[in-house]
Amino acid sequence: MNELLESDGVLQVSGVPTEGMAALERQPVLHLPTERSLIARFPAAFFAIGVGTSSFAVMWQVACQLWAAPKGIAVAMVILAICVWVALLILYAFKLWLAPLAVRAELADPVQNCFPGLAGVGVMLTAVSVLPFSATAATILLGMGGVFAVGFGFWHSQMIWKAAIALSDATPALYLPVAAASFVLSIGLSALGRSEWAQLALGAGLFSWLTIDSVLFYRLYFGEPLRNQIRPTLGVQLAPPAVCSLAYVNASGTSGDVFVHCLIGYAMLQAVVLGGVLPRIVRRFSAGLWSVSFGATALATTVEKLAIRGDTGLAGVLALPIFAAANLLIIWLAAKTIILAATGSLLPAAPEGKEGQ
């Protein structure tokens, strides 16, 4: 049986005479996308854009309850978040189909392989945002996103247990596969009235976060500096305390207690530190900086919920300034992202010697 081969982008057939090969080479050749194509450069880290947008929509939904803001803004944000996720998932599906080698390389990378699980996190956040419109759709989305996120978390954990990663590859992105996914699952279960199950997910996320946190701070204090291309992952550092506080508020029904105030305080500390550090160590804007958006919007949502429940002291003072800061951050991230996309600089650079086709 004749065998199809490919060499330097030209299809060849073994067993065909040289004259036949010469004739074949003169025929038009279909160049399929490879690991060098533009779609291959579409990273799973872009899912952080969808997570930030979905969390932003939830933040506005709670703001409408607290300040009687126009509901049309929240509805528009939910629709925008859904559209962003549809676009992101379609693009990554094309990457899976057209550039499987690039996906394999991404899953083998100890930093980049933390981000694909955000697809499940985003679907769960979308479930929370659509709950006011359809409980059935929210339940289905939470189930789909939860199954994917939990499955990915198990896969990522067993991979690390089988082959330890180097300390230099330990980044805040390690929070995403298990801790972030568990917190968001807890938020979704609480929204659907499954508070006891939500507490289980909260516990899984809390202790996963604390375990990883000590390792990461050891690495940041005593390890070599983060490489330029992975420095934006520091933005994830804000997410664990902020999202944990939101999950705890939802699961416990508290109107303000010592534990949630402690979480808010730690999240604010991380926000201040990141606000001072990131502008100095990140040399150019990249879409990876969207990693800070999840924590910022989750923190604002937590304080808003506490204010709604009667925590007029701490939450009453902090709600509006944190909400305003989160809005300014999202607007800035969106504007910079649109500018990069318009100038063709949004995708990561191709490896040396390889240009996008």
Side-chain angles (χ1 to χ4, degrees), residues 8-237:
D8 298 325
V10 178
L11 291 176
Q12 301 179 1
V13 182
S14 63
V16 177
T18 305
E19 310 83 51
M21 284 303 306
L24 282 173
E25 289 175 2
R26 289 193 293 270
Q27 301 301 316
V29 177
L30 176 63
H31 290 274
L32 296 177
T34 68
E35 67 274 17
R36 297 175 295 173
S37 65
L38 288 175
I39 195 65
R41 290 162 52 196
F42 180 82
F46 277 20
F47 289 152
I49 300 174
V51 170
T53 308
S54 294
S55 186
F56 186 60
V58 173
M59 181 189 77
W60 263 99
Q61 287 178 312
V62 179
C64 289
Q65 301 173 35
L66 177 59
W67 293 300
K71 292 185 179 180
I73 299 177
V75 173
M77 292 300 101
V78 172
I79 294 173
L80 174 62
I82 292 173
C83 291
V84 169
W85 270 115
V86 169
L88 290 172
L89 293 175
I90 288 175
L91 286 171
Y92 204 77
F94 273 115
K95 181 176 180 177
L96 283 167
W97 178 33
L98 299 173
L101 294 181
V103 176
R104 288 186 184 180
E106 193 168 45
L107 292 177
D109 186 281
V111 176
Q112 298 303 320
N113 66 10
C114 297
F115 290 96
L118 287 181
V121 172
V123 173
M124 290 189 289
L125 283 173
T126 302
V128 175
S129 67
V130 302
L131 180 59
F133 311 103
S134 173
T136 301
T139 302
I140 293 172
L141 288 172
L142 184 67
M144 292 171 55
V147 168
F148 179 83
V150 170
F152 184 85
F154 276 124
W155 172 82
H156 190 269
S157 297
Q158 62 87 25
M159 186 184 66
I160 292 179
W161 293 343
K162 287 182 178 179
I165 64 173
L167 186 62
S168 60
D169 290 323
T171 71
L174 288 173
Y175 294 127
L176 301 176
V178 177
S182 298
F183 288 146
V184 176
L185 178 59
S186 176
I187 292 169
L189 289 170
S190 295
L192 292 177
R194 310 291 184 180
S195 58
E196 292 184 348
W197 291 97
Q199 291 166 14
L200 294 181
L202 173 61
L206 174 62
F207 291 104
S208 297
W209 160 38
L210 295 178
T211 302
I212 297 170
D213 203 53
S214 58
V215 175
L216 287 179
F217 272 98
Y218 176 85
R219 183 258 183 274
L220 292 173
Y221 286 152
F222 303 110
E224 62 186 50
L226 290 173
R227 302 187 303 276
N228 289 336
Q229 60 268 35
I230 62 175
R231 286 180 180 178
T233 61
L234 283 172
V236 180
Q237 196 67 36

Side-chain angles (χ1 to χ4, degrees), residues 256-282:
D257 56 35
V258 173
F259 184 60
V260 73
H261 288 166
C262 289
L263 289 171
I264 292 172
Y266 186 54
M268 293 177 65
L269 172 64
Q270 293 298 320
V272 171
V273 171
L274 289 172
V277 169
L278 281 179
R280 295 207 305 267
I281 66 173
V282 178

